[in-house]
């Protein structure tokens, strides 16, 4: 032991096992305290007091606190600004260091720098550790010593560097210290309300993560590559919210993917590291195109079309079903995230930043790095992005990935009686068939708000600006 007291500040790592900062603190200090802060800088910017993410965090904290109490400790939960609350707690407890797992978002890095400066004024160190990524910082670089900006070479370098040590479990056994009189405030006390997590079947905390992981591991994992693109099939892991808030470890999942030789799923986990790396090294992607030339695109001002997209009333069934899914449960299938992002940017010609912001407000698994990376991929403005001239056709995407319209019917019930051959483009039905089925386009379901073929022509013209050489 090198110090008497230490504090572990939990953030997006709400578990007490396989936890890098907790492991380091237990190995270096005689007494280890644990804390979480409801950051008012973040909470006050949220658009609703019924935020599923805040509810998920709160419920997960209750479970984490229980687990820590089983080990003689507890979770000290604060509410306020981090540069004020964390140093004050650290000074009050008399710790010599605060241990945290690294966060790669620009605002989080600024926050940690500010906290570290205040702590240093008290003679307390802020020690950071890699936990939510397999590799971070400068661990994966090109031969010229620069960050990768294309995924496949990054993946190959990632796999070449990977060893069993990189996915080894961090030991966290040991007795913890408690702070008598401390208790977790209610949701109401921090200004929020309970949501519909239980009705939606979203299990929280480490136990919820373990149950979801077991269901995926023993079920779709072996066939992930063939099932993952079909939204009507339970072929994905549904673990994104648990990865986002760290109720299970990325090392556990990568290790299992390697053991199962689940290459398609491992690929998705590597994309997660890739987008963390991009955000860490290229913070300008927040608010700007990764490729600056794409900031010159003149996006269309179409507020009514944007509202129709948000509400799932575009007249394109797969797009509408996907948007109604995110509005209903705060989650969207990954294939559909690509479809709706392409539709917004390349059918409607609307700035990807508006879609990115809408997803940020709606998604329970919102992660800045992946959300930004996905939107810039769809808009062709990001690293290793979809070429601008490749434009998803929302009808053919629907025919390919929801052939019987099962997913569409789940979220667009007004189309329930439409035959399979017309479910993807119901406006093509004869008028008499529309009347007979009680699905008159323009009355019972919207007519398409844009003609895809015409939109494609306009998009290619809009993107021409990125091909023109800069003026001398």
């Amino acid at each position: 032991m090198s110090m008497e007291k230490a504090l572990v500040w939990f953030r997006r790592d709400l578990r007490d096992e396989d936890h890098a900062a907790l492991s380091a603190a237990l190995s270096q200090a005689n007494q280890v305290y644990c804390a979480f802060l409801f950051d008012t800088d973040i909470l006050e910017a949220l658009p609703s007091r019924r935020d599923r993410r805040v509810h998920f965090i709160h419920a997960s904290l209750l479970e984490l606190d229980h687990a820590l109490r089983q080990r003689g400790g507890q979770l000290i939960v604060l509410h306020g600004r981090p540069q004020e609350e964390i140093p004050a707690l650290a000074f009050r407890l008399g710790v010599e260091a605060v241990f945290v797992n690294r966060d790669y978002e620009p605002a989080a890095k600024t926050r940690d720098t500010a906290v570290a400066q205040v702590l240093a004024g008290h003679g307390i160190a802020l020690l950071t550790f890699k936990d939510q990524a397999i590799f971070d910082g400068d661990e994966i670089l090109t031969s010229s010593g620069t960050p990768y900006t294309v995924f496949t070479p990054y993946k190959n370098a990632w796999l070449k560097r990977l060893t069993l040590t990189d996915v080894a479990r961090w030991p966290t056994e040991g007795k913890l210290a408690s702070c008598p009189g401390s208790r977790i405030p209610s949701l109401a006390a921090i200004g929020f309300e309970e949501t519909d997590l239980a009705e939606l079947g979203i299990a929280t905390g480490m136990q919820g993560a373990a149950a979801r992981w077991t269901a995926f591991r023993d079920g779709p994992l072996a066939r992930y590559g063939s099932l993952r693109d079909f939204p009507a099939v339970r072929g994905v892991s549904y673990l994104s919210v648990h990865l986002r808030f760290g109720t299970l470890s990325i090392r556990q999942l990568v290790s299992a993917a390697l053991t199962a030789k689940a290459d398609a799923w491992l690929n998705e986990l590597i994309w997660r590291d890739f987008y963390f790396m991009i955000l860490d090294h290229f913070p300008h992607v927040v608010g700007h195109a990764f490729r600056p030339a794409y900031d010159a695109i003149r996006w269309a001002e179409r507020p009514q079309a944007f509202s129709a997209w948000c509400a799932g009333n575009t007249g394109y069934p797969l797009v509408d079903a996907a948007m109604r899914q995110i509005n209903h449960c705060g989650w969207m299938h990954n294939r559909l995230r690509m479809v709706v992002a392409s539709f917004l940017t390349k059918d409607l010609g609307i700035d990807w930043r508006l879609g990115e912001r809408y997803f940020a407000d709606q998604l329970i698994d919102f992660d800045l790095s992946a959300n930004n990376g996905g939107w810039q991929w769809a808009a062709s403005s990001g690293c290793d992005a979809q070429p601008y001239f490749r434009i998803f056709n929302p009808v053919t995407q629907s025919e390919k990935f929801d052939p019987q319209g099962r997913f569409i019917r789940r979220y667009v019930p007004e189309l329930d009686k439409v035959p399979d051959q017309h479910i993807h483009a119901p406006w093509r039905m004869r008028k008499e068939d529309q009347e007979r089925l009680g699905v008159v386009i323009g009355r019972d379901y919207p007519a398409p708000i844009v003609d895809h073929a015409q939109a494609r022509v306009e998009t290619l013209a809009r993107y021409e600006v990125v091909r023109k050489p800069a003026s001398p």
Side-chain angles (χ1 to χ4, degrees):
M1 298 287 184
S2 59
M3 64 184 75
E4 182 58 30
K5 294 181 179 181
L7 173 65
V8 178
W9 175 15
F10 288 77
R11 287 103 71 92
R12 45 181 299 165
D13 43 18
L14 306 182
R15 64 186 186 281
D16 72 331
E17 56 187 16
D18 193 5
H19 189 289
L22 180 59
S23 179
L26 285 166
S27 69
Q28 296 180 44
N30 286 314
Q31 296 182 62
V32 175
Y33 297 91
C34 299
F36 177 88
L37 170 74
F38 278 111
D39 186 339
T40 51
D41 290 342
I42 296 173
L43 297 183
E44 289 171 1
L46 295 175
S48 170
R49 299 301 92 184
R50 296 189 76 251
D51 190 291
R52 293 185 179 112
R53 293 161 293 193
V54 178
H55 188 189
F56 184 97
I57 291 170
H58 187 269
S60 299
L61 294 179
L62 294 174
E63 183 194 24
L64 177 59
D65 178 60
H66 178 75
L68 297 176
R69 287 178 185 274
Q70 298 294 104
R71 300 168 53 179
Q74 67 180 117
L75 190 64
I76 305 166
V77 177
L78 308 170
H79 181 224
R81 304 193 70 214
Q83 58 267 45
E84 298 168 0
E85 298 294 335
I86 294 299
L89 175 65
F91 182 71
R92 186 166 72 248
L93 294 174
V95 304
E96 294 158 72
V98 175
F99 290 67
V100 297
N101 290 322
R102 285 194 283 275
D103 196 326
Y104 309 108
E105 297 184 6
K109 291 161 73 173
T110 299
R111 171 201 64 198
D112 288 352
T113 298
V115 171
Q117 289 175 344
V118 179
L119 286 171
H122 294 291
I124 302 170
L126 181 72
L127 305 178
T128 69
F129 300 86
K130 177 182 65 176
D131 185 83
Q132 63 174 308
I134 300 299
F135 297 115
D136 72 0
D138 293 336
E139 290 185 300
I140 305 290
L141 296 174
T142 67
S143 57
S144 59
T146 59
Y148 283 92
T149 58
V150 178
F151 175 71
T152 299
Y154 172 85
K155 179 185 74 171
N156 293 337
W158 191 100
L159 289 169
K160 184 177 181 180
R161 175 166 181 141
L162 188 71
T163 68
L164 291 178
T165 301
D166 297 307
V167 294
R169 180 182 181 277
W170 285 104
T172 55
E173 292 73 22
K175 188 173 176 59
L176 299 167
S178 64
C179 183
S182 178
R183 62 189 184 89
I184 297 178
S186 66
L187 268 176
I190 62 170
F192 285 80
E193 304 171 21
E194 291 195 359
T195 67
D196 55 357
L197 292 183
E199 298 91 88
L200 293 172
I202 299 174
T204 60
M206 294 177 284
Q207 292 183 16
R212 180 91 299 279
W213 163 236
T214 299
F216 178 62
R217 182 196 62 201
D218 298 344
L221 175 59
R223 296 185 297 148
Y224 176 80
S226 61
L227 297 177
R228 62 178 175 169
D229 282 318
F230 298 90
V233 176
R234 294 185 68 85
V236 296
S237 72
Y238 303 100
L239 285 168
S240 53
V241 66
H242 293 288
L243 278 172
R244 170 61 182 87
F245 295 112
T247 48
L248 84 172
S249 159
I250 184 61
R251 289 171 293 280
Q252 176 187 358
L253 301 189
V254 170
S255 179
L258 292 167
T259 300
K261 295 182 169 55
D263 293 342
W265 193 55
L266 178 61
N267 210 51
E268 298 303 313
L269 300 177
I270 301 173
W271 268 106
R272 183 174 177 271
D273 260 21
F274 180 69
Y275 281 143
F276 279 147
M277 180 272 296
I278 292 296
L279 185 63
D280 192 22
H281 284 282
F282 304 98
H284 75 273
V285 298
V286 180
H288 296 279
F290 173 80
R291 297 191 257 181
Y294 283 75
D295 277 334
I297 291 174
R298 298 186 67 176
W299 300 101
E301 296 288 337
R302 305 184 65 184
Q304 290 184 326
F306 180 67
S307 295
W309 177 85
C310 292
N313 288 319
T314 69
Y316 284 88
L318 188 65
V319 172
D320 292 343
M323 294 306 298
R324 294 184 194 188
Q325 180 183 44
I326 195 176
N327 293 335
H328 170 66
C329 63
W331 184 84
M332 188 190 291
H333 188 278
N334 188 59
R335 165 59 58 175
L336 302 183
R337 298 188 195 204
M338 293 188 283
V339 170
V340 302
S342 177
F343 187 85
L344 184 73
T345 56
K346 294 179 178 176
D347 279 82
L348 299 180
I350 293 174
D351 193 335
W352 59 268
R353 281 161 282 234
L354 294 177
E356 180 195 30
R357 192 175 308 130
Y358 189 77
F359 270 31
D361 288 341
Q362 298 294 324
L363 287 172
I364 189 172
D365 63 1
F366 167 67
D367 194 311
L368 176 58
S369 60
N371 192 50
N372 179 274
W375 273 97
Q376 295 223 40
W377 182 91
S380 302
S381 61
C383 52
D384 201 8
Q386 175 95 317
Y388 76 90
F389 51 82
R390 290 187 184 167
I391 301 171
F392 282 176
N393 183 318
V395 175
T396 56
Q397 288 283 310
S398 183
E399 292 169 341
K400 185 174 182 180
F401 297 115
D402 192 28
Q404 289 83 42
R406 289 169 52 201
F407 179 80
I408 290 170
R409 289 184 174 88
R410 185 181 307 163
Y411 287 100
V412 189
E414 58 265 44
L415 298 179
D416 185 56
K417 295 180 181 178
V418 175
D420 292 357
Q421 67 267 33
H422 293 300
I423 191 81
H424 313 287
W427 63 89
R428 294 175 182 167
M429 286 192 298
R430 296 182 306 172
K431 293 294 184 183
E432 53 266 37
D433 289 335
Q434 294 180 30
E435 291 283 1
R436 178 175 54 82
L437 294 170
V439 185
V440 175
I441 302 305
R443 184 193 72 187
D444 304 302
Y445 179 70
I449 63 172
V450 66
D451 177 83
H452 175 71
Q454 180 60 35
R456 188 177 193 281
V457 172
E458 293 174 1
T459 290
L460 293 177
R462 178 177 292 110
Y463 277 75
E464 276 297 310
V465 68
V466 305
R467 298 184 61 190
K468 296 177 181 177
S471 300

